[in-house]
Amino acid sequence: MSKTVLHCKDIVKTYGEAEAAVLALQGVTLDVYRGEMMMLVGPSGCGKTTFVSCISGLLDFDSGVCDILGKDITSMDTEEVVAFRGRHIGFVFQSFNLLPALTCVENVALPLTIANADKAQSYTKAKVLLDAVGLGEKYDSKPKHLSGGEQQRVAVARALVHEPDLIICDEPTSSLDHQTGQAVMQLLQKMKNETHITIIVVTHDNRIYKYGDRMAHMEDGKIRKVEQLG
Amino acid sequence: MFTIAVKILIEDRVKYIGLLIGIAFTAFLVTFAMSYFAGFMTRGFALVSENPSVDIWVMDRAVSSSEATINMSDAALNLVKSVQGVENAVPLYMQDMTARFPNGHFQAFQVIGVDDATLSGIPKIKSTRDASELLHIPGSVIVDSGGTSDKLQTPKYMKDSYPFDGPHLNAATRKLRFGDTLLINDKRIVVAGVSQTIPRFPPRPLIYTTLSNFKRLTPSQVKRLTFVMVKIKSGSNLHLIAQKIQKQTGLKALTSDDFKKQTVMWYLVNSEDVGDMVNMVVLAMLVGFGVTGVMLYMFTQDNLKYYALLKAMGASSKQLRVMIFTQVFMSALIGSGIGIGVCTLVGKLVANGDFPYRMMWFSPLFGLIGVLIVSITAGLISQHALKNVEAEMLFAS
Ligand SMILES: Nc1ncnc2c1ncn2[C@@H]1O[C@H](COP(=O)(O)OP(=O)(O)OP(=O)(O)O)[C@@H](O)[C@H]1O
Ligand SMILES: [Mg+2]
């Protein structure tokens, strides 16, 4: 029996008000367990991004329960949510979101820098992870000198550097070609197997479904079914 | 986080330099406008400045500037002299008079009469001779352009001087010099020297002469004494003696500094020209501040995505605030530094010419504080904008 990392029940989220209101999440219920990779799929506009924003505390939701690592995020105030997120959650975005002003090492070390960790130790850790994602040569390169795949690998390293419990990936492969996308997914899978980290991957790309352990199908703001993969 | 803020700030060199130039321009504009204003005001109290050895100025109670004056009875001088703590007191006469040039052309002058014995109040003259020697010549005066140009022109040729057939207004002219004559109230005066004292605001040509000559030019005048210039005994308290003079004589006694201040106040309240100038300065500042504010705001707005990212990765609002203000202050301080530096250089250049420019301590300070206030405002607005953005920006493809 795996331990529950994420427990969601009946999450409802509406954008806007009155006539302009969009009911993006209509009661989402989902459990995600430690060490698994959960694929979250569904048609465009069904609410995937909204869902991961809500569970990571980037977006407030109207009602429902959301416990991460046994903590109810609705009971925390804004600063607590920010601190909790910084400590326990890592992100990989479709558009990489690296800071162009920083080198790879600095980018990877960012979550530790934010947490006021020792600089030398942070950089050492960042370098270890850059080695692990195959970018040992690019410590001091700026993102603009990297390919899309390389940038996404830097982003993966950054998501891992502070040893979070949960990594949220929103369309991590959509900006990459097929092969690069596969490489990034293999990397995530490898990290998951080594560290028993929990990963949620939002995707459209059926060629990466195979990396998941389970898959949640979302439609019109609801989870329709969850299936076991492999 | 500080280093990261700085790195983000200077990452886009073009944008950063643009921002600095914008801020520098504002700081320049404000500092320059203030210095320009201070320059005018300095000219406004030129009379006080050109008599630095005077401790206290005594005048009619109704007078509150060196610009608009009314005269006292000559008896006031002795009253002032009799106050304890006064080392010496000398009279100063001041009156606008119209002088006629030999070709018939006329010009209003401010005529300043000084004590015959001490000649206190006479400015430095461009001459190898001493003022006391020069003013010894009967009817002699010292002329000064007082910030005007081409107002001290006398006919070049003898044929145009005191002609029989009326004024020769279009006669060829040259600058006044030693030995030239003019008429005031049909009395002849002789130019004994040309001085170049502090230009006046508003500009006006000046004539300096002795009291006895002044009296000769204004025979029917009853009250001629405009100021009594007091030097106090060394070691005595300036303000105390001013108060004492005021109490004993019933006249107004101001220290030089107070007199300058009152004169500036008088200009601010009474002079339409100065009012217009203040409006212009304020307008220039508002425009500059507006531009700076918008530029800073746009800059942080461009970086909002990065702040959203940092926030997603756990940066507290305090950390973000520190970053935004690091960027804002760094730009503001460097930009103002450049602006004020350039202003100082430009000021040095123009001050050599006949331009009213005086960079006093408060001018750059005002520029700097202005820019800082605008920067803080822009920073606060940016920080506020941060609250509403985050999620969508990060997840956008
Ligand atoms: N900020 C917003 N304001 C209003 N409506 C929004 C906002 N963001 C999303 N929506 C709406 O909410 C619904 C869910 O959007 P969401 O971005 O979560 O979908 P998605 O499943 O991630 O789609 P995609 O696969 O295209 O990324 C959509 O109908 C969308 O138009
Ligand atoms: Mg999406």
Short mmCIF file of all heavy atoms in Angstrom, two decimals, chain A residues 49 52-53 58-59 79 82-83 85-86 91 93-95 97-102 106 110-111 113-116 142 144 158 170, chain B residues 1 3-4 7-9 11 13 305-319 390-397:
data_model
loop_
_atom_site.label_atom_id
_atom_site.label_comp_id
_atom_site.label_asym_id
_atom_site.label_seq_id
_atom_site.Cartn_x
_atom_site.Cartn_y
_atom_site.Cartn_z
N THR A 49 -4.38 22.30 -16.64
CA THR A 49 -3.49 23.31 -16.09
C THR A 49 -4.11 23.95 -14.84
O THR A 49 -3.44 24.18 -13.83
CB THR A 49 -3.18 24.39 -17.15
OG1 THR A 49 -2.53 23.76 -18.24
CG2 THR A 49 -2.30 25.49 -16.58
N VAL A 52 -3.58 21.54 -11.88
CA VAL A 52 -2.24 21.50 -11.26
C VAL A 52 -1.91 22.84 -10.60
O VAL A 52 -1.17 22.88 -9.61
CB VAL A 52 -1.13 21.06 -12.25
CG1 VAL A 52 -1.32 19.61 -12.63
CG2 VAL A 52 -1.02 21.96 -13.45
N SER A 53 -2.46 23.95 -11.14
CA SER A 53 -2.23 25.25 -10.49
C SER A 53 -2.88 25.27 -9.11
O SER A 53 -2.33 25.81 -8.15
CB SER A 53 -2.82 26.38 -11.33
OG SER A 53 -2.25 26.39 -12.61
N LEU A 58 -0.85 27.71 -6.59
CA LEU A 58 -0.65 28.89 -7.43
C LEU A 58 -1.97 29.58 -7.71
O LEU A 58 -2.01 30.72 -8.13
CB LEU A 58 0.00 28.48 -8.76
CG LEU A 58 1.47 28.07 -8.69
CD1 LEU A 58 1.94 27.47 -10.00
CD2 LEU A 58 2.34 29.26 -8.32
N LEU A 59 -3.05 28.84 -7.48
CA LEU A 59 -4.38 29.36 -7.80
C LEU A 59 -5.32 28.94 -6.67
O LEU A 59 -5.25 27.81 -6.19
CB LEU A 59 -4.82 28.71 -9.13
CG LEU A 59 -5.80 29.42 -10.03
CD1 LEU A 59 -5.27 30.80 -10.42
CD2 LEU A 59 -6.04 28.59 -11.29
N GLU A 79 1.68 33.21 2.49
CA GLU A 79 3.12 33.03 2.64
C GLU A 79 3.47 31.59 3.01
O GLU A 79 4.50 31.07 2.60
CB GLU A 79 3.67 34.01 3.70
CG GLU A 79 3.71 35.46 3.23
CD GLU A 79 4.62 35.67 2.01
OE1 GLU A 79 5.79 35.28 2.07
OE2 GLU A 79 4.14 36.22 1.00
N VAL A 82 3.39 29.56 -0.15
CA VAL A 82 4.59 29.82 -0.94
C VAL A 82 5.78 29.03 -0.38
O VAL A 82 6.51 28.37 -1.11
CB VAL A 82 4.91 31.33 -0.98
CG1 VAL A 82 6.28 31.57 -1.59
CG2 VAL A 82 3.86 32.08 -1.77
N ALA A 83 5.94 29.10 0.93
CA ALA A 83 7.06 28.41 1.55
C ALA A 83 6.92 26.89 1.39
O ALA A 83 7.89 26.19 1.08
CB ALA A 83 7.14 28.79 3.03
N ARG A 85 5.29 25.28 -0.94
CA ARG A 85 5.53 24.95 -2.34
C ARG A 85 7.02 24.92 -2.63
O ARG A 85 7.54 24.02 -3.27
CB ARG A 85 4.82 25.98 -3.22
CG ARG A 85 4.91 25.68 -4.70
CD ARG A 85 3.98 26.59 -5.47
NE ARG A 85 4.32 28.00 -5.29
CZ ARG A 85 3.44 28.95 -5.05
NH1 ARG A 85 2.17 28.66 -4.97
NH2 ARG A 85 3.84 30.19 -4.89
N GLY A 86 7.70 25.94 -2.13
CA GLY A 86 9.14 26.01 -2.37
C GLY A 86 9.86 24.80 -1.79
O GLY A 86 10.82 24.30 -2.37
N PHE A 91 8.70 22.20 -10.34
CA PHE A 91 7.92 22.38 -11.57
C PHE A 91 8.78 22.18 -12.82
O PHE A 91 9.95 22.55 -12.85
CB PHE A 91 7.36 23.80 -11.65
CG PHE A 91 6.29 24.08 -10.65
CD1 PHE A 91 6.59 24.68 -9.44
CD2 PHE A 91 4.96 23.76 -10.93
CE1 PHE A 91 5.59 24.94 -8.52
CE2 PHE A 91 3.96 24.03 -10.01
CZ PHE A 91 4.27 24.62 -8.80
N PHE A 93 7.96 23.22 -16.80
CA PHE A 93 6.94 23.86 -17.63
C PHE A 93 7.18 23.57 -19.10
O PHE A 93 8.29 23.25 -19.53
CB PHE A 93 6.97 25.38 -17.43
CG PHE A 93 6.81 25.81 -16.01
CD1 PHE A 93 7.92 26.13 -15.23
CD2 PHE A 93 5.55 25.88 -15.44
CE1 PHE A 93 7.78 26.53 -13.92
CE2 PHE A 93 5.40 26.29 -14.11
CZ PHE A 93 6.52 26.60 -13.35
N GLN A 94 6.11 23.76 -19.88
CA GLN A 94 6.25 23.59 -21.32
C GLN A 94 7.29 24.56 -21.89
O GLN A 94 8.10 24.19 -22.72
CB GLN A 94 4.90 23.82 -22.00
CG GLN A 94 4.96 23.69 -23.51
CD GLN A 94 3.61 23.94 -24.15
OE1 GLN A 94 2.59 24.00 -23.48
NE2 GLN A 94 3.60 24.06 -25.46
N SER A 95 7.26 25.80 -21.40
CA SER A 95 8.16 26.81 -21.96
C SER A 95 9.42 26.99 -21.11
O SER A 95 10.00 28.06 -21.06
CB SER A 95 7.42 28.14 -22.11
OG SER A 95 6.80 28.48 -20.90
N ASN A 97 10.91 28.14 -18.83
CA ASN A 97 10.96 29.17 -17.79
C ASN A 97 12.28 29.22 -17.02
O ASN A 97 12.30 29.27 -15.79
CB ASN A 97 9.81 28.99 -16.80
CG ASN A 97 8.50 29.47 -17.37
OD1 ASN A 97 8.48 30.35 -18.23
ND2 ASN A 97 7.41 28.89 -16.93
N LEU A 98 13.37 29.23 -17.76
CA LEU A 98 14.66 29.47 -17.11
C LEU A 98 14.87 30.97 -17.05
O LEU A 98 14.34 31.71 -17.89
CB LEU A 98 15.79 28.81 -17.90
CG LEU A 98 15.67 27.29 -18.07
CD1 LEU A 98 16.80 26.77 -18.94
CD2 LEU A 98 15.67 26.59 -16.73
N LEU A 99 15.67 31.43 -16.11
CA LEU A 99 15.99 32.85 -16.06
C LEU A 99 17.13 33.13 -17.03
O LEU A 99 18.23 32.62 -16.84
CB LEU A 99 16.40 33.28 -14.65
CG LEU A 99 15.30 33.42 -13.62
CD1 LEU A 99 15.85 33.99 -12.32
CD2 LEU A 99 14.19 34.31 -14.12
N PRO A 100 16.88 33.92 -18.07
CA PRO A 100 17.90 34.14 -19.10
C PRO A 100 19.16 34.81 -18.55
O PRO A 100 20.23 34.69 -19.15
CB PRO A 100 17.20 35.03 -20.13
CG PRO A 100 16.00 35.57 -19.44
CD PRO A 100 15.62 34.62 -18.37
N ALA A 101 19.01 35.51 -17.43
CA ALA A 101 20.16 36.24 -16.90
C ALA A 101 21.13 35.33 -16.15
O ALA A 101 22.25 35.72 -15.86
CB ALA A 101 19.69 37.35 -15.97
N LEU A 102 20.69 34.11 -15.83
CA LEU A 102 21.51 33.24 -14.99
C LEU A 102 22.13 32.10 -15.80
O LEU A 102 21.57 31.66 -16.81
CB LEU A 102 20.67 32.66 -13.85
CG LEU A 102 19.94 33.65 -12.95
CD1 LEU A 102 19.27 32.91 -11.81
CD2 LEU A 102 20.87 34.72 -12.43
N GLU A 106 23.40 28.42 -11.87
CA GLU A 106 22.60 29.36 -11.08
C GLU A 106 21.11 29.06 -11.21
O GLU A 106 20.36 29.14 -10.23
CB GLU A 106 22.88 30.80 -11.52
CG GLU A 106 24.27 31.28 -11.13
CD GLU A 106 24.68 32.56 -11.85
OE1 GLU A 106 24.12 32.86 -12.93
OE2 GLU A 106 25.57 33.24 -11.34
N LEU A 110 18.57 27.69 -8.13
CA LEU A 110 17.60 28.71 -7.73
C LEU A 110 16.70 28.32 -6.54
O LEU A 110 16.58 29.10 -5.58
CB LEU A 110 16.76 29.10 -8.95
CG LEU A 110 16.20 30.51 -9.00
CD1 LEU A 110 17.26 31.55 -8.66
CD2 LEU A 110 15.62 30.78 -10.39
N PRO A 111 16.08 27.13 -6.56
CA PRO A 111 15.23 26.78 -5.41
C PRO A 111 16.00 26.79 -4.09
O PRO A 111 15.44 27.14 -3.05
CB PRO A 111 14.75 25.37 -5.75
CG PRO A 111 14.83 25.29 -7.23
CD PRO A 111 16.03 26.10 -7.61
N THR A 113 18.79 28.66 -3.55
CA THR A 113 19.11 30.07 -3.29
C THR A 113 17.92 30.76 -2.62
O THR A 113 18.10 31.52 -1.67
CB THR A 113 19.44 30.80 -4.61
OG1 THR A 113 20.37 30.02 -5.34
CG2 THR A 113 19.99 32.18 -4.35
N ILE A 114 16.73 30.48 -3.15
CA ILE A 114 15.53 31.08 -2.57
C ILE A 114 15.37 30.65 -1.11
O ILE A 114 14.97 31.45 -0.26
CB ILE A 114 14.28 30.68 -3.39
CG1 ILE A 114 14.33 31.37 -4.75
CG2 ILE A 114 13.00 31.04 -2.66
CD1 ILE A 114 13.29 30.90 -5.73
N ALA A 115 15.75 29.40 -0.83
CA ALA A 115 15.63 28.90 0.54
C ALA A 115 16.81 29.33 1.41
O ALA A 115 17.00 28.82 2.50
CB ALA A 115 15.52 27.38 0.52
N ASN A 116 17.64 30.23 0.87
CA ASN A 116 18.80 30.75 1.61
C ASN A 116 19.83 29.67 1.98
O ASN A 116 20.46 29.76 3.03
CB ASN A 116 18.36 31.48 2.88
CG ASN A 116 17.68 32.79 2.55
OD1 ASN A 116 18.10 33.49 1.63
ND2 ASN A 116 16.61 33.09 3.26
N LYS A 142 24.57 30.29 -20.61
CA LYS A 142 23.28 30.92 -20.39
C LYS A 142 22.23 30.18 -21.22
O LYS A 142 22.56 29.60 -22.25
CB LYS A 142 23.34 32.39 -20.86
CG LYS A 142 24.27 33.28 -20.04
CD LYS A 142 23.47 34.11 -19.04
CE LYS A 142 24.36 35.01 -18.21
NZ LYS A 142 24.51 36.35 -18.78
N LYS A 144 20.14 30.96 -23.37
CA LYS A 144 19.99 31.28 -24.80
C LYS A 144 20.98 30.52 -25.67
O LYS A 144 20.80 30.44 -26.88
CB LYS A 144 20.08 32.79 -25.03
CG LYS A 144 21.40 33.40 -24.66
CD LYS A 144 21.42 34.89 -25.03
CE LYS A 144 22.71 35.50 -24.52
NZ LYS A 144 22.52 36.74 -23.78
N ARG A 158 16.54 21.54 -12.16
CA ARG A 158 16.09 22.56 -11.21
C ARG A 158 14.92 22.05 -10.37
O ARG A 158 14.81 22.35 -9.18
CB ARG A 158 15.67 23.82 -11.98
CG ARG A 158 15.25 24.96 -11.08
CD ARG A 158 14.82 26.19 -11.86
NE ARG A 158 13.65 25.90 -12.67
CZ ARG A 158 13.14 26.74 -13.56
NH1 ARG A 158 13.72 27.91 -13.78
NH2 ARG A 158 12.08 26.42 -14.27
N ASP A 170 3.89 20.37 -16.64
CA ASP A 170 2.79 20.71 -17.54
C ASP A 170 3.32 20.71 -18.96
O ASP A 170 4.09 21.58 -19.34
CB ASP A 170 2.21 22.08 -17.18
CG ASP A 170 0.88 22.33 -17.87
OD1 ASP A 170 0.29 21.36 -18.37
OD2 ASP A 170 0.44 23.50 -17.93
N MET B 1 19.81 36.46 -3.59
CA MET B 1 18.67 37.05 -4.30
C MET B 1 19.04 38.43 -4.82
O MET B 1 18.61 38.83 -5.89
CB MET B 1 17.47 37.19 -3.34
CG MET B 1 16.95 35.88 -2.81
SD MET B 1 16.62 34.68 -4.08
CE MET B 1 14.95 35.05 -4.52
N THR B 3 22.03 39.38 -5.80
CA THR B 3 22.82 39.20 -7.02
C THR B 3 21.93 38.84 -8.20
O THR B 3 22.13 39.33 -9.31
CB THR B 3 23.84 38.06 -6.82
OG1 THR B 3 24.07 37.90 -5.44
CG2 THR B 3 25.11 38.32 -7.57
N ILE B 4 20.96 37.98 -7.94
CA ILE B 4 20.06 37.57 -9.02
C ILE B 4 19.29 38.79 -9.54
O ILE B 4 19.15 38.98 -10.74
CB ILE B 4 19.09 36.48 -8.52
CG1 ILE B 4 19.89 35.21 -8.22
CG2 ILE B 4 18.01 36.20 -9.56
CD1 ILE B 4 19.08 34.11 -7.57
N LYS B 7 21.53 40.73 -11.69
CA LYS B 7 21.76 40.05 -12.98
C LYS B 7 20.56 40.20 -13.91
O LYS B 7 20.73 40.44 -15.11
CB LYS B 7 22.06 38.57 -12.74
CG LYS B 7 23.50 38.35 -12.30
CD LYS B 7 23.82 36.89 -12.11
CE LYS B 7 25.30 36.76 -11.76
NZ LYS B 7 25.60 35.47 -11.13
N ILE B 8 19.37 40.06 -13.34
CA ILE B 8 18.17 40.24 -14.18
C ILE B 8 18.14 41.66 -14.72
O ILE B 8 17.84 41.90 -15.89
CB ILE B 8 16.88 39.95 -13.36
CG1 ILE B 8 16.80 38.46 -13.04
CG2 ILE B 8 15.64 40.39 -14.13
CD1 ILE B 8 15.62 38.08 -12.17
N LEU B 9 18.49 42.60 -13.84
CA LEU B 9 18.44 44.01 -14.23
C LEU B 9 19.34 44.31 -15.43
O LEU B 9 18.94 44.98 -16.37
CB LEU B 9 18.86 44.88 -13.04
CG LEU B 9 18.95 46.39 -13.27
CD1 LEU B 9 17.58 46.96 -13.59
CD2 LEU B 9 19.52 47.09 -12.05
N GLU B 11 20.70 42.16 -17.53
CA GLU B 11 20.74 41.15 -18.59
C GLU B 11 20.50 41.77 -19.96
O GLU B 11 21.24 41.56 -20.91
CB GLU B 11 19.71 40.05 -18.30
CG GLU B 11 19.45 39.09 -19.44
CD GLU B 11 20.66 38.23 -19.77
OE1 GLU B 11 21.65 38.26 -19.01
OE2 GLU B 11 20.64 37.54 -20.80
N ARG B 13 21.01 44.59 -21.91
CA ARG B 13 21.81 45.82 -21.84
C ARG B 13 21.09 47.03 -22.43
O ARG B 13 21.07 48.11 -21.85
CB ARG B 13 23.14 45.64 -22.60
CG ARG B 13 24.08 44.64 -22.00
CD ARG B 13 24.64 45.11 -20.67
NE ARG B 13 24.78 43.99 -19.75
CZ ARG B 13 25.82 43.17 -19.70
NH1 ARG B 13 26.86 43.37 -20.47
NH2 ARG B 13 25.83 42.16 -18.88
N LYS B 305 7.20 37.97 -15.31
CA LYS B 305 7.21 36.53 -15.52
C LYS B 305 8.28 35.86 -14.65
O LYS B 305 8.04 34.80 -14.08
CB LYS B 305 7.48 36.26 -16.99
CG LYS B 305 7.32 34.82 -17.35
CD LYS B 305 7.53 34.58 -18.83
CE LYS B 305 7.65 33.08 -19.03
NZ LYS B 305 7.78 32.70 -20.41
N TYR B 306 9.41 36.52 -14.54
CA TYR B 306 10.49 35.94 -13.74
C TYR B 306 10.13 35.95 -12.26
O TYR B 306 10.44 35.02 -11.52
CB TYR B 306 11.80 36.70 -13.97
CG TYR B 306 12.18 36.75 -15.43
CD1 TYR B 306 12.62 37.93 -16.02
CD2 TYR B 306 12.07 35.62 -16.23
CE1 TYR B 306 12.95 37.98 -17.35
CE2 TYR B 306 12.40 35.65 -17.57
CZ TYR B 306 12.83 36.84 -18.13
OH TYR B 306 13.15 36.88 -19.45
N TYR B 307 9.47 37.04 -11.86
CA TYR B 307 9.05 37.10 -10.46
C TYR B 307 8.00 36.02 -10.17
O TYR B 307 8.01 35.40 -9.10
CB TYR B 307 8.49 38.48 -10.12
CG TYR B 307 9.56 39.53 -10.11
CD1 TYR B 307 9.52 40.62 -10.95
CD2 TYR B 307 10.63 39.41 -9.23
CE1 TYR B 307 10.52 41.57 -10.94
CE2 TYR B 307 11.62 40.35 -9.21
CZ TYR B 307 11.56 41.44 -10.07
OH TYR B 307 12.54 42.37 -10.04
N ALA B 308 7.10 35.83 -11.14
CA ALA B 308 6.08 34.78 -10.97
C ALA B 308 6.76 33.43 -10.80
O ALA B 308 6.37 32.61 -9.98
CB ALA B 308 5.15 34.78 -12.18
N LEU B 309 7.80 33.22 -11.59
CA LEU B 309 8.55 31.96 -11.52
C LEU B 309 9.19 31.79 -10.14
O LEU B 309 9.08 30.74 -9.51
CB LEU B 309 9.62 31.93 -12.61
CG LEU B 309 10.53 30.71 -12.58
CD1 LEU B 309 9.79 29.49 -13.09
CD2 LEU B 309 11.78 30.95 -13.40
N LEU B 310 9.84 32.84 -9.69
CA LEU B 310 10.50 32.78 -8.39
C LEU B 310 9.49 32.51 -7.28
O LEU B 310 9.74 31.75 -6.36
CB LEU B 310 11.25 34.09 -8.12
CG LEU B 310 12.45 34.33 -9.03
CD1 LEU B 310 12.96 35.75 -8.87
CD2 LEU B 310 13.56 33.34 -8.72
N LYS B 311 8.32 33.12 -7.44
CA LYS B 311 7.28 32.92 -6.45
C LYS B 311 6.81 31.46 -6.47
O LYS B 311 6.59 30.86 -5.42
CB LYS B 311 6.11 33.87 -6.74
CG LYS B 311 5.16 34.01 -5.59
CD LYS B 311 4.16 35.12 -5.87
CE LYS B 311 3.07 35.14 -4.81
NZ LYS B 311 2.04 36.13 -5.15
N ALA B 312 6.68 30.90 -7.68
CA ALA B 312 6.27 29.50 -7.80
C ALA B 312 7.30 28.60 -7.14
O ALA B 312 6.97 27.55 -6.60
CB ALA B 312 6.10 29.12 -9.26
N MET B 313 8.56 29.02 -7.16
CA MET B 313 9.61 28.20 -6.58
C MET B 313 9.84 28.51 -5.10
O MET B 313 10.83 28.08 -4.53
CB MET B 313 10.90 28.35 -7.38
CG MET B 313 10.70 27.80 -8.78
SD MET B 313 12.21 27.48 -9.67
CE MET B 313 13.02 28.99 -9.55
N GLY B 314 8.93 29.30 -4.53
CA GLY B 314 8.96 29.47 -3.08
C GLY B 314 9.51 30.79 -2.58
O GLY B 314 9.74 30.95 -1.39
N ALA B 315 9.73 31.77 -3.48
CA ALA B 315 10.24 33.06 -3.02
C ALA B 315 9.13 33.81 -2.28
O ALA B 315 8.02 33.95 -2.79
CB ALA B 315 10.74 33.89 -4.20
N SER B 316 9.43 34.26 -1.07
CA SER B 316 8.42 34.98 -0.29
C SER B 316 8.22 36.37 -0.86
O SER B 316 9.06 36.87 -1.61
CB SER B 316 8.89 35.09 1.16
OG SER B 316 10.04 35.89 1.21
N SER B 317 7.11 36.99 -0.49
CA SER B 317 6.87 38.33 -1.03
C SER B 317 7.95 39.29 -0.53
O SER B 317 8.28 40.26 -1.20
CB SER B 317 5.47 38.83 -0.69
OG SER B 317 5.09 38.41 0.59
N LYS B 318 8.51 39.00 0.63
CA LYS B 318 9.59 39.86 1.12
C LYS B 318 10.81 39.75 0.22
O LYS B 318 11.43 40.76 -0.14
CB LYS B 318 9.95 39.46 2.56
CG LYS B 318 10.91 40.44 3.19
CD LYS B 318 11.24 40.06 4.62
CE LYS B 318 12.57 40.67 5.01
NZ LYS B 318 13.40 39.78 5.79
N GLN B 319 11.14 38.53 -0.17
CA GLN B 319 12.28 38.35 -1.08
C GLN B 319 12.04 39.07 -2.41
O GLN B 319 12.94 39.72 -2.94
CB GLN B 319 12.51 36.85 -1.34
CG GLN B 319 13.21 36.13 -0.20
CD GLN B 319 13.30 34.64 -0.45
OE1 GLN B 319 12.31 33.99 -0.75
NE2 GLN B 319 14.50 34.10 -0.33
N GLU B 390 0.89 35.50 -11.70
CA GLU B 390 1.54 34.19 -11.62
C GLU B 390 1.13 33.07 -12.57
O GLU B 390 1.69 32.94 -13.64
CB GLU B 390 1.56 33.69 -10.19
CG GLU B 390 0.26 33.76 -9.46
CD GLU B 390 0.55 33.64 -7.95
OE1 GLU B 390 1.74 33.60 -7.58
OE2 GLU B 390 -0.40 33.57 -7.18
N ALA B 391 0.16 32.23 -12.18
CA ALA B 391 -0.02 30.93 -12.81
C ALA B 391 -0.05 30.95 -14.34
O ALA B 391 0.76 30.27 -14.98
CB ALA B 391 -1.28 30.28 -12.28
N GLU B 392 -0.91 31.76 -14.92
CA GLU B 392 -1.09 31.72 -16.38
C GLU B 392 0.23 31.97 -17.11
O GLU B 392 0.54 31.34 -18.11
CB GLU B 392 -2.10 32.76 -16.84
CG GLU B 392 -3.50 32.52 -16.35
CD GLU B 392 -3.85 33.42 -15.18
OE1 GLU B 392 -4.04 34.61 -15.39
OE2 GLU B 392 -3.91 32.90 -14.04
N MET B 393 1.00 32.92 -16.58
CA MET B 393 2.26 33.28 -17.24
C MET B 393 3.19 32.10 -17.35
O MET B 393 3.87 31.92 -18.34
CB MET B 393 2.98 34.31 -16.40
CG MET B 393 2.30 35.62 -16.36
SD MET B 393 3.47 36.77 -15.66
CE MET B 393 3.19 38.15 -16.72
N LEU B 394 3.24 31.31 -16.28
CA LEU B 394 4.21 30.22 -16.24
C LEU B 394 3.79 29.07 -17.13
O LEU B 394 4.61 28.43 -17.78
CB LEU B 394 4.35 29.72 -14.80
CG LEU B 394 4.85 30.78 -13.83
CD1 LEU B 394 4.78 30.26 -12.42
CD2 LEU B 394 6.28 31.14 -14.19
N PHE B 395 2.47 28.85 -17.18
CA PHE B 395 2.01 27.68 -17.91
C PHE B 395 1.78 27.99 -19.38
O PHE B 395 1.54 27.09 -20.17
CB PHE B 395 0.74 27.12 -17.26
CG PHE B 395 1.00 26.51 -15.91
CD1 PHE B 395 0.47 27.05 -14.76
CD2 PHE B 395 1.82 25.39 -15.80
CE1 PHE B 395 0.72 26.50 -13.52
CE2 PHE B 395 2.08 24.82 -14.56
CZ PHE B 395 1.53 25.37 -13.42
N ALA B 396 1.86 29.25 -19.74
CA ALA B 396 1.66 29.60 -21.15
C ALA B 396 2.73 28.92 -21.98
O ALA B 396 3.85 28.73 -21.55
CB ALA B 396 1.76 31.11 -21.31
N SER B 397 2.32 28.54 -23.20
CA SER B 397 3.28 27.82 -24.04
C SER B 397 4.17 28.80 -24.78
O SER B 397 3.85 29.95 -24.92
CB SER B 397 2.56 26.93 -25.03
OG SER B 397 1.58 27.67 -25.69
#
